[in-house]
Amino acid sequence: MFCFEMALSAPVSVKTFLCFTLWALLISPAVSLTCSGQKFTKNQVFSTCLDLPSLSSFLHFSYDSSNTTLSVAFIAAPSKPGGWVAWAINPKATGMAGSQALVAYKNSTTGLAVVRTFDISSYSSIVAKDLSFEVWDKTAESRSDGSLAIFAKIKIPADLASNGEINQVWQIGPGVGADGTLVKHEFAVANLQSKGTLDLKNGHTSSSSGVDTRTKNKNIHGILNAVSWGILFPVGAIIARYIRAFESADPAWFYLHVFCQISAYAIGVAGWGTGLKLGNQSSGITYSSHRNIGITLFVLATVQVFALFLRPNKEHKYRFYWNIYHHSFGYAIVILGIVNVFKGFNILRPDYKWKSAYTNTIISLGAISLLLEAVTWVVVLKRRSEISKKPHDGKQ
C-alpha cells in the first residue's frame, strides 16, 4: 500500500528505488536469522549450513568421506548472559544422555570464549573429559550478537561413518559455576526437541516434528492433574458448600459432589502414576516441591475418599468431628492442588495460552464462589429469620 501511494507521486526511477529499498529492509531481519548470512572472523568456509529446528541454533559443516573427518561450526546464544552452548554427537542414542559434547562459554576471568569437552554418560553425570573419538582444532568465539560459536574437527568412528548419518544434540544453558560445572538448562519443549540426525553425505538434518515419548507423558501428566486437582476438586467443593444451602437441591447436590470428587480422585491417581513414571525416566532430574506436594495431595485425597465410607449420620455424636476432618482435608486439597498445577506449568512451560486458560478458569471459579457466598448467606439468614418468627408452641 505504501509503495502504491509513492507510485502516484514519484517518478518511475525514484519509486522503483524506494520500493526496492523498503522491501530489502523488511526482509533483512529474516535473512539475518538464517545460517546463509553468517560470517566468521577467520573467514572459515563450510560446504553446508543448516538452520536447526529449535533453540535458534545453526550448524555449518563439511564432511570428508575419504578420511571420515567432520569439520563443524555450531552457533547459538546462551539462554542467559554468561551461559553456555553445546553441540554433541551421541554414538548410540538420540538424546543427550550418552552423548559426547563440545561446550562453549565465556571465561569469567578473561572474558574470552573457551570450549571444553564433556562426556555425558547420564543426566546426573556430566564430566569434563576427553571424548570417545578424536577431536582437534577446538576453538570458540564470542559473536557481536551475543551468540557463541564452537569450531572443531572430528574423526567420525568407522561404525557411524558407514551409516552416513549421526545423532546430533544441541543445547543452551543459563550459567557456569566457578568450578566449571554447567548450570542445568531448562526443560521446555524447545530444549527437549533439540536433537535429530545429521546426514553427512547429503547435507541435511532431520528432527521429529512431533513430541517424543517423555514429552507426551509430561503433557498427559499435566492435563490429568490440571483437570483433577486443579478443576474438578474445586468444583466439587463449590457444590458442597453452596448448592446444599438450597433445600430444593437436596439430595442432588450430594450426588454431584460425590461424583466430582470420585472422578477427580480417579483422574488424579492416573496423573500421579504418570508422574512416577516420568520420575523413573528422568534420572537426576528432580522437582522437589512439585513432587512433595503431589505426594501430599495423593495421601490427603486417599484419606478423603475413605471419608465417604466413614460418614456418620447427621445425628451421630461424632458427626461434628467428621465434618472438621472432611472440610479441613477438602480445603487443603483444593489449595495445594491449584498451587501444584501452577508449579507444573512452570516446569513444563507450555504455550502461554494454556496457562492463561487455566488462570482464567480459576478466576472464574473464584468469582462464582464469591457470588454464591453472598447468595447463600442471604438464603441462610432469611431462613433463620423465618424460623425465629414462628411460635415455639406450634400455634399460629
Side-chain angles (χ1 to χ4, degrees):
M1 183 66 182
F2 180 63
C3 289
F4 178 76
E5 290 174 355
M6 288 192 298
L8 299 179
S9 57
V12 174
S13 60
V14 175
K15 73 180 182 183
T16 302
F17 172 76
L18 291 175
C19 286
F20 178 80
T21 302
L22 179 62
W23 174 80
L25 289 173
L26 288 174
I27 67 169
S28 60
V31 172
S32 68
L33 294 176
T34 64
C35 64
S36 59
Q38 293 173 334
K39 305 296 182 182
F40 303 107
T41 56
K42 296 182 181 180
N43 296 319
Q44 298 99 319
V45 177
F46 299 88
S47 61
T48 306
C49 77
L50 299 169
D51 303 324
L52 297 176
S54 64
L55 300 179
S56 299
S57 304
F58 311 92
L59 181 71
H60 301 252
F61 73 94
S62 298
Y63 179 63
D64 187 344
S65 58
S66 63
N67 57 15
T68 66
T69 298
L70 177 67
S71 301
V72 299
F74 171 74
I75 301 174
S79 55
K80 292 182 179 180
W84 53 267
V85 304
W87 184 82
I89 294 175
N90 194 326
K92 298 180 179 180
T94 58
M96 183 62 76
S99 63
Q100 307 288 293
L102 298 163
V103 181
Y105 57 86
K106 285 186 179 181
N107 185 289
S108 58
T109 303
T110 64
L112 299 176
V114 297
V115 60
R116 299 173 67 192
T117 54
F118 283 79
D119 178 8
I120 307 177
S121 58
S122 69
Y123 288 107
S124 59
S125 177
I126 302 176
V127 181
K129 59 182 295 188
D130 292 336
L131 305 185
S132 60
F133 40 78
E134 188 178 357
V135 181
W136 66 97
D137 291 349
K138 304 187 300 292
T139 60
E141 72 175 27
S142 177
R143 299 169 62 83
S144 59
D145 60 359
S147 63
L148 296 172
I150 299 174
F151 301 92
K153 292 184 178 180
I154 302 165
K155 181 70 173 179
I156 302 298
D159 58 335
L160 298 181
S162 63
N163 296 329
E165 62 181 29
I166 57 175
N167 296 320
Q168 65 167 338
V169 189
W170 60 97
Q171 196 57 257
I172 59 176
V176 180
D179 57 352
T181 58
L182 305 180
V183 178
K184 186 183 300 183
H185 64 78
E186 294 183 357
F187 288 86
V189 173
N191 298 86
L192 297 176
Q193 292 183 338
S194 57
K195 57 186 178 181
T197 59
L198 179 64
D199 190 324
L200 299 173
K201 296 179 180 179
N202 299 316
H204 63 78
T205 185
S206 63
S207 180
S208 173
S209 59
V211 184
D212 61 25
T213 302
R214 196 163 71 90
T215 303
K216 286 182 179 178
N217 288 337
K218 290 179 74 173
N219 291 338
I220 292 171
H221 171 73
I223 292 170
L224 292 176
N225 287 296
V227 171
S228 59
W229 312 110
I231 297 177
L232 281 179
F233 265 113
V235 169
I238 289 172
I239 291 171
R241 177 168 177 81
Y242 301 115
I243 307 303
R244 66 183 300 180
F246 301 92
E247 294 179 344
S248 59
D250 192 25
W253 74 265
F254 174 75
Y255 296 114
L256 283 173
H257 172 67
V258 171
F259 173 78
C260 279
Q261 305 308 68
I262 294 295
S263 300
Y265 179 73
I267 297 171
V269 168
W272 189 69
T274 59
L276 294 178
K277 184 177 181 180
L278 283 168
N280 293 331
Q281 293 176 339
S282 309
S283 177
I285 303 173
T286 304
Y287 300 101
S288 298
S289 60
H290 184 67
R291 179 194 61 189
N292 293 338
I293 294 175
I295 293 172
T296 303
L297 278 170
F298 176 74
V299 172
L300 290 175
T302 301
V303 175
Q304 188 77 317
V305 167
F306 281 106
L308 179 64
F309 305 101
L310 301 174
R311 181 171 174 260
N313 295 327
K314 292 181 180 180
E315 296 77 17
H316 198 284
K317 62 180 180 180
Y318 292 124
R319 181 59 181 258
F320 172 76
Y321 302 103
W322 181 90
N323 285 338
I324 294 175
Y325 138 68
H326 184 62
H327 294 165
S328 59
F329 273 44
Y331 291 130
I333 290 171
V334 170
I335 294 170
L336 290 176
I338 293 173
V339 169
N340 220 27
V341 168
F342 280 107
K343 284 185 174 292
F345 277 122
N346 293 335
I347 293 169
L348 186 57
R349 295 182 181 275
D351 290 342
Y352 176 76
K353 63 182 179 181
W354 298 110
K355 185 175 182 179
S356 177
Y358 179 72
T359 302
N360 291 334
T361 300
I362 294 302
I363 292 174
S364 298
L365 289 176
I368 292 171
S369 298
L370 289 175
L371 177 62
L372 290 176
E373 184 77 24
V375 171
T376 51
W377 271 108
V378 171
V379 171
V380 170
L381 292 176
K382 182 178 180 181
R383 187 179 302 155
R384 289 178 180 177
S385 176
E386 291 175 351
I387 293 174
S388 64
K389 292 179 181 179
K390 290 183 180 180
H392 294 288
D393 59 3
K395 296 181 181 180
Q396 297 298 326

